[in-house]
Amino acid sequence: MIFTVPPHWESQQVQRIGQFLQAQHVPSTWSDLLRDSGVMQAVWKTTVPEALQPYLHVGRLQDHELVVFATNGSVAAKLRLLTPTMLNKLQKQGLEVTSIRVRVQVLSASQPSIKPKRTVSPAASRQLQQLAESLGESPLSDVIKRLASHR
Protein backbone atom coordinates (compact mmCIF):
# COMPACT_ATOMS: atom_id res chain seq x y z
CA MET A 1 0.00 0.00 0.00
CA ILE A 2 1.32 3.41 -0.93
CA PHE A 3 0.43 6.25 1.42
CA THR A 4 1.67 9.68 0.50
CA VAL A 5 1.12 13.09 1.95
CA PRO A 6 0.14 15.60 -0.75
CA PRO A 7 2.95 18.09 -1.41
CA HIS A 8 0.83 21.11 -0.57
CA TRP A 9 0.19 19.96 3.02
CA GLU A 10 2.07 21.90 5.65
CA SER A 11 3.61 20.18 8.64
CA GLN A 12 0.90 21.63 10.91
CA GLN A 13 -1.75 19.85 8.87
CA VAL A 14 0.19 16.62 9.16
CA GLN A 15 0.44 17.09 12.93
CA ARG A 16 -3.31 17.78 13.24
CA ILE A 17 -4.19 14.66 11.26
CA GLY A 18 -1.73 12.65 13.36
CA GLN A 19 -3.39 13.93 16.55
CA PHE A 20 -6.79 13.04 15.14
CA LEU A 21 -5.65 9.52 14.31
CA GLN A 22 -4.25 9.06 17.82
CA ALA A 23 -7.48 10.32 19.35
CA GLN A 24 -9.44 7.83 17.24
CA HIS A 25 -7.20 5.02 18.53
CA VAL A 26 -5.91 4.24 15.06
CA PRO A 27 -3.01 1.80 15.26
CA SER A 28 0.27 3.63 15.79
CA THR A 29 1.66 2.42 12.48
CA TRP A 30 -0.75 4.72 10.61
CA SER A 31 0.01 7.76 12.71
CA ASP A 32 3.75 6.96 12.54
CA LEU A 33 3.48 6.54 8.80
CA LEU A 34 1.74 9.90 8.46
CA ARG A 35 4.28 11.65 10.66
CA ASP A 36 7.20 10.06 8.82
CA SER A 37 5.73 11.02 5.44
CA GLY A 38 5.43 14.63 6.57
CA VAL A 39 8.99 14.59 7.85
CA MET A 40 10.23 13.05 4.61
CA GLN A 41 8.42 15.72 2.57
CA ALA A 42 9.99 18.48 4.69
CA VAL A 43 13.48 16.99 4.36
CA TRP A 44 12.95 16.43 0.65
CA LYS A 45 12.07 20.10 0.12
CA THR A 46 15.40 21.13 1.63
CA THR A 47 17.37 18.87 -0.72
CA VAL A 48 15.63 19.14 -4.09
CA PRO A 49 16.39 22.15 -6.33
CA GLU A 50 13.72 24.85 -6.09
CA ALA A 51 12.91 24.69 -9.80
CA LEU A 52 11.84 21.04 -9.45
CA GLN A 53 9.92 21.30 -6.15
CA PRO A 54 6.47 21.98 -7.61
CA TYR A 55 6.77 18.92 -9.85
CA LEU A 56 7.97 16.34 -7.29
CA HIS A 57 6.62 14.82 -4.10
CA VAL A 58 7.84 12.08 -1.83
CA GLY A 59 6.12 8.72 -1.70
CA ARG A 60 7.32 6.19 0.83
CA LEU A 61 10.62 5.15 2.34
CA GLN A 62 10.78 1.38 2.58
CA ASP A 63 13.83 -0.87 2.85
CA HIS A 64 16.10 2.17 2.47
CA GLU A 65 14.53 2.99 -0.90
CA LEU A 66 12.82 6.35 -1.33
CA VAL A 67 10.03 6.57 -3.89
CA VAL A 68 9.58 10.00 -5.47
CA PHE A 69 6.71 10.93 -7.80
CA ALA A 70 7.30 13.31 -10.72
CA THR A 71 4.47 15.01 -12.61
CA ASN A 72 6.03 14.40 -16.03
CA GLY A 73 8.76 12.47 -17.77
CA SER A 74 11.18 15.36 -18.25
CA VAL A 75 11.21 16.13 -14.53
CA ALA A 76 11.70 12.43 -13.80
CA ALA A 77 14.66 12.30 -16.21
CA LYS A 78 16.25 15.36 -14.59
CA LEU A 79 15.81 13.84 -11.13
CA ARG A 80 17.37 10.58 -12.29
CA LEU A 81 20.43 12.58 -13.34
CA LEU A 82 20.54 14.23 -9.90
CA THR A 83 20.00 10.99 -7.97
CA PRO A 84 23.61 10.54 -6.74
CA THR A 85 23.71 14.13 -5.47
CA MET A 86 20.29 13.79 -3.85
CA LEU A 87 21.33 10.56 -2.12
CA ASN A 88 24.40 12.27 -0.63
CA LYS A 89 22.32 15.20 0.61
CA LEU A 90 19.71 12.92 2.19
CA GLN A 91 22.37 10.78 3.85
CA LYS A 92 24.07 13.89 5.26
CA GLN A 93 20.76 14.79 6.88
CA GLY A 94 20.77 11.46 8.69
CA LEU A 95 18.35 9.48 6.54
CA GLU A 96 19.19 5.89 5.72
CA VAL A 97 18.45 6.05 2.00
CA THR A 98 20.44 3.86 -0.37
CA SER A 99 18.37 4.34 -3.53
CA ILE A 100 15.78 6.64 -5.02
CA ARG A 101 13.08 5.28 -7.29
CA VAL A 102 11.49 7.89 -9.54
CA ARG A 103 7.95 7.26 -10.73
CA VAL A 104 5.93 9.39 -13.11
CA GLN A 105 2.47 10.21 -11.82
CA VAL A 106 0.74 12.47 -14.30
CA LEU A 107 -1.74 14.90 -12.78
CA SER A 108 -5.16 15.19 -14.36
CA ALA A 109 -5.22 17.79 -17.10
CA SER A 110 -6.98 21.04 -16.41
CA GLN A 111 -9.55 22.49 -18.76
CA PRO A 112 -7.92 24.23 -21.71
CA SER A 113 -8.18 27.97 -21.39
CA ILE A 114 -10.29 29.82 -23.91
CA LYS A 115 -8.22 32.43 -25.68
CA PRO A 116 -9.93 35.76 -26.22
CA LYS A 117 -10.36 36.80 -29.82
CA ARG A 118 -7.78 39.39 -30.75
CA THR A 119 -9.03 42.54 -32.38
CA VAL A 120 -7.54 45.57 -34.09
CA SER A 121 -8.60 49.07 -33.10
CA PRO A 122 -10.56 51.10 -35.68
CA ALA A 123 -7.65 53.53 -36.13
CA ALA A 124 -5.17 50.70 -36.72
CA SER A 125 -7.62 49.05 -39.08
CA ARG A 126 -7.86 52.24 -41.20
CA GLN A 127 -4.07 52.54 -41.38
CA LEU A 128 -3.71 48.88 -42.35
CA GLN A 129 -6.33 49.38 -45.11
CA GLN A 130 -4.38 52.38 -46.43
CA LEU A 131 -1.16 50.37 -46.39
CA ALA A 132 -2.81 47.48 -48.25
CA GLU A 133 -4.16 49.85 -50.92
CA SER A 134 -0.73 51.44 -51.39
CA LEU A 135 0.83 48.02 -52.01
CA GLY A 136 -1.53 47.20 -54.89
CA GLU A 137 -2.51 43.63 -55.69
CA SER A 138 -0.13 41.22 -53.95
CA PRO A 139 -0.21 38.37 -51.44
CA LEU A 140 1.08 40.76 -48.74
CA SER A 141 -1.71 43.20 -49.49
CA ASP A 142 -4.28 40.39 -49.10
CA VAL A 143 -2.87 39.40 -45.71
CA ILE A 144 -2.85 43.00 -44.47
CA LYS A 145 -6.47 43.48 -45.61
CA ARG A 146 -7.47 40.34 -43.72
CA LEU A 147 -5.66 41.64 -40.62
CA ALA A 148 -7.44 44.99 -40.94
CA SER A 149 -10.81 43.22 -40.92
CA HIS A 150 -10.26 41.81 -37.38
CA ARG A 151 -12.32 44.31 -35.42
Side-chain angles (χ1 to χ4, degrees), residues 2-131:
I2 297 175
F3 182 77
T4 61
V5 175
H8 60 277
W9 281 14
E10 298 296 325
S11 60
Q12 290 178 342
Q13 290 173 312
V14 173
Q15 290 172 354
R16 279 191 243 135
I17 292 174
Q19 290 169 353
F20 172 78
L21 290 174
Q22 288 175 350
Q24 300 300 317
H25 304 293
V26 174
S28 63
T29 55
W30 280 102
S31 58
D32 290 345
L33 182 61
L34 181 63
R35 185 196 70 238
D36 293 345
S37 295
V39 169
M40 281 302 303
Q41 187 68 36
V43 170
W44 179 254
K45 281 187 175 189
T46 64
T47 33
V48 72
E50 281 188 48
L52 296 178
Q53 283 182 7
Y55 309 105
L56 297 168
H57 68 276
V58 175
R60 69 185 189 290
L61 175 62
Q62 186 174 11
D63 298 328
H64 305 289
E65 179 182 64
L66 179 63
V67 178
V68 178
F69 295 100
T71 58
N72 60 55
S74 62
V75 172
K78 179 67 175 177
L79 184 60
R80 285 184 185 106
L81 292 173
L82 295 173
T83 297
T85 306
M86 301 304 296
L87 277 172
N88 286 336
K89 288 182 178 180
L90 291 169
Q91 289 168 352
K92 285 180 183 177
Q93 292 193 12
L95 297 174
E96 295 182 23
V97 178
T98 57
S99 66
I100 296 176
R101 178 180 291 180
V102 182
R103 309 285 305 262
V104 177
Q105 186 177 34
V106 179
L107 301 175
S108 61
S110 61
Q111 295 291 335
S113 61
I114 298 172
K115 295 182 180 179
K117 186 176 178 182
R118 296 183 180 174
T119 60
V120 177
S121 70
S125 179
R126 282 191 300 273
Q127 289 190 354
L128 287 171
Q129 283 288 357
Q130 289 173 358
L131 175 63

